Amino acid sequence: MSIKIAPSKGKLGILTPGIGAVATTFMAGVEAVKKGLGEPVGSLTQLGTVRLGKRTDNRTPKIKDFVPLAGLNQLVFGGWDIFEDNAYEAAVNARVLEPELLRKIKPGLQKIKPMKAVFDKNYVKRIDGPNVKTKGSLMDKAQALMDDMKTFKKTNGCDRLVTIWCGSTEVFHKPAKVHQTLATFEQAMAKNDPDIAPSQVYAYASLMSGVPFANGAPNLTHDIPALLTLARDREIAVCGKDFKTGQTYMKTLLAPGLKARMLGCSGWFSTNILGNRDGEVLEDPGSFKSKEETKLSVLDQILQPNLYPELYKDLFHSVKINYYPPRGDQKEGWDNIDIFGWLGYPMQIKIDFLCRDSILAAPLVLDLVLFLDLAQRAGMKGVQEWLSFYFKAPMTAPGLYPEHDVFIQLMKLKNTLRWMRGEDLITHLGLEYYD
Ligand SMILES: NC(=O)c1ccc[n+]([C@@H]2O[C@H](COP(=O)([O-])OP(=O)(O)OC[C@H]3O[C@@H](n4cnc5c(N)ncnc54)[C@H](O)[C@@H]3O)[C@@H](O)[C@H]2O)c1
């Protein structure tokens, strides 16, 4: 039995708090693909397939033909930023895409003008900008965001919206008392409680407007009881946190392989140089701490030192990010991995990943908004764990440890799609081929 999924009719509005490098590379990329100026490389929704039935059935449709996703021509973009630059100017400043490509899609990008942001310098210390909401309490600002969403939807003739946080990384922030229930959260917003982060005001406004919400940064944001209960009560799909792109993506490829062969690991030293605005924000120790937490959690969860103490109990794991402007968005990440094999004999692995941060993140933004919209139309509410595939710190039900192994995450994602369409789940048992 397949589940009921409402059709993807009309326009889907994508709203990004934060119109910086990632958001503009995503928006510009979609416009470029629509014009045939490039391919959507890295996007599972656009290029990926899903095997159905037995290996001998030869049924492997494209994911976008198998589940009713919104098409690229149905997407409309908008968002908020503390800077007044439109998406074209922001993309030029981000220096990710070639000026020549940007010129070809300039008219579409110029139309995307940032709405006034909800901002608090205590949460993002290294930047400041003029395009902010100044009137009233945080509750009034949440109301203003809801009005922004309503106006955007009406002006652009959208059928549905999805919000995805592409704003700067906020400082490390633990769940506090005010985050426990919706009532305490709302009271705290009305009183401008310093425990409410701007990203939480966006998440609240989005959920109150019935709009699915994803978080691409490591901030706490909606990963708190008050907002998760709101999402479930209002039957809204949510997911997060922190796009899994460069070095952490490499880790979740390699670590499961080491564990699969029962190879030990005594040390994993990771360092990066990064010169974009994100790198500048991460120079602040508070923002870096948010990142460090999500980056460090991955190895422990994959390697499970409690189950394999002889292999991983003494693992020393260190992650550093250095702001280095000459490199811009073209990050370089080095890993030195000390592993050991049979009888404890040591070996080493070195990785030098010369990557492009926003080029890796943009297709994840596209997949996430399309899948989150699909989940919403399929009546799936609360945390969408099947989208863990895209995150460094996947959100899960309380008390459930997250699955970080990228191959298990992919299997979970594809099985969820099969389940939606009433197809058999694939267990890879395969005994029937030998009967
Ligand atoms: N690129 C990657 O590979 C990657 C991977 C994982 C996570 N991320 C996260 O994605 C986010 C975006 O990254 P980026 O490279 O585009 O950064 P960026 O600095 O280029 O863009 C972030 C934008 O958010 C704006 N902003 C900050 N606070 C805001 C607020 N309260 N409301 C509205 N706008 C606000 C900033 O002005 C800026 O324009 C960061 O948090 C980053 O850590 C990126």
Side-chain angles (χ1 to χ4, degrees), residues 355-366:
C355 67
R356 292 172 188 258
D357 237 10
S358 304
I359 292 292
L360 291 170
L364 310 198
V365 180
L366 175 61

Side-chain angles (χ1 to χ4, degrees), residues 3 235-237 374-376 378-382 384 386 416 419-420:
I3 61 166
E235 307 198 337
I236 300 159
L374 173 73
Q376 187 66 33
M380 295 162 74
K381 58 186 174 201
Q384 303 298 305
W386 62 287
T416 305
W419 166 82
M420 282 184 186

Side-chain angles (χ1 to χ4, degrees), residues 136-140 183-193 196:
S137 66
L138 290 175
M139 188 53 132
D140 297 318
T184 54
F185 187 84
E186 287 179 333
Q187 282 155 16
M189 280 205 300
K191 284 196 278 183
N192 285 335
D193 190 300
I196 306 286

